[in-house]
Each structure stands twice: as structure tokens, then as C-alpha cells.
Amino acid sequence: MLRFDPFRELEELQERLARAFAPQGQGPRVYAPPVDVMEDAEGLHLLVYLPGVDPEKVEVVAEEGVLSVKAERPLEKQEGVAYHRLEGPYGTFARSFNVPSTYDLSRVQARFRHGVLHLLVPKAEATRPKKIQVQVE
């Protein structure tokens, strides 16, 4: 069962409107890449979809409770080629996430594989369950 996310719907609508009304050839466009967010006992997992992006053009910054991802996929037009339609995402990609203090932003791990940036934000030690030894008298 899929949960309805009104904010995601608004983000998609905003992105489509920005593309439709953006002046062609004037300044870089910034896109919000799709993201999957999951949580397990280890921490928060984010999958940021960045197809065609060079891993060296990906920047991840964690500071003051915010995790930010920025990447770039420039459009490299070739001379002598007639482009009839370009639907691929080109330009700058950016997303930011407010991360609760129950997660440790100082230990974020990032992997890039097949166009997907995998981020792990581990749970803070204070929030992990602790096994308490029972003393027998």
C-alpha cells in the first residue's frame, strides 16, 4: 500500500511548473532529485537518485541538523548534432533534509552505485537500545 504524501505531490508540481515556465538558456536550473527514505535499527537510510551524474560531482554536507546533497550533470552538446528532444535531467540537483537529534550527523556514510547515492545516518549512541545486565544476589 502506498501512502499519500501531499508534500511530494506539491514538490513534483512545483518542479513541472518551473520547467514549463523557465526561460530557455537563462541561468542554471536546480532540480530536486527523487529520494527514498527508510529507517531501521542501524539508522536512517536515504537513496538519492542521480542518473548520469559523475560521482565526483556529488557533494554531501552535514551540519547543524541538516543533511544536504548537491550534484551536477552538465549538458554537453556536441557540435554538428541536431537535438530534437532532451528529457533527461541536466543541471544542478539539490535536496536538504532536517535530521532529528536522535541521529548522528558526524558519522554519515555515503556510497555511490549505479547512479544512486546511498546515505546512512546512524542513530546516536544515546538512542540505541542498551542491554542491561541483571545482577543475581
Side-chain angles (χ1 to χ4, degrees):
M1 182 169 136
L2 293 174
R3 289 181 54 194
F4 174 69
D5 181 1
F7 295 107
R8 182 66 187 149
E9 298 287 327
L10 287 172
E11 285 175 0
E12 289 175 0
L13 177 61
Q14 183 180 20
E15 199 172 304
R16 285 197 313 260
L17 286 170
R19 274 191 226 140
F21 294 109
Q24 297 298 317
Q26 292 183 3
R29 294 190 214 171
V30 177
Y31 298 103
V35 176
D36 293 339
V37 180
M38 294 135 319
E39 180 183 16
D40 63 12
E42 193 175 6
L44 201 58
H45 299 265
L46 294 94
L47 304 178
V48 184
Y49 294 92
L50 300 167
V53 172
D54 180 354
E56 294 184 10
K57 300 232 181 207
V58 176
E59 178 182 301
V60 179
V61 177
E63 64 181 349
E64 297 182 16
V66 177
L67 181 63
S68 300
V69 176
K70 188 174 179 183
E72 188 177 344
R73 181 178 181 213
L75 175 60
E76 298 168 358
K77 288 188 176 182
Q78 298 175 7
E79 238 180 87
V81 176
Y83 293 90
H84 297 287
R85 189 174 191 98
L86 294 170
E87 292 186 356
Y90 295 96
T92 301
F93 302 87
R95 285 294 290 267
S96 292
F97 305 91
N98 291 323
V99 179
S101 61
T102 54
Y103 298 96
D104 188 353
L105 280 177
S106 69
R107 298 186 314 141
V108 173
Q109 299 170 22
R111 296 183 292 120
F112 194 88
R113 183 172 182 231
H114 300 301
V116 180
L117 175 64
H118 300 254
L119 297 169
L120 168 62
V121 185
K123 286 188 177 182
E125 289 299 323
T127 61
R128 290 182 186 252
K130 294 179 178 79
K131 187 173 181 181
I132 298 172
Q133 178 94 22
V134 176
Q135 303 278 331
V136 178
E137 295 181 13

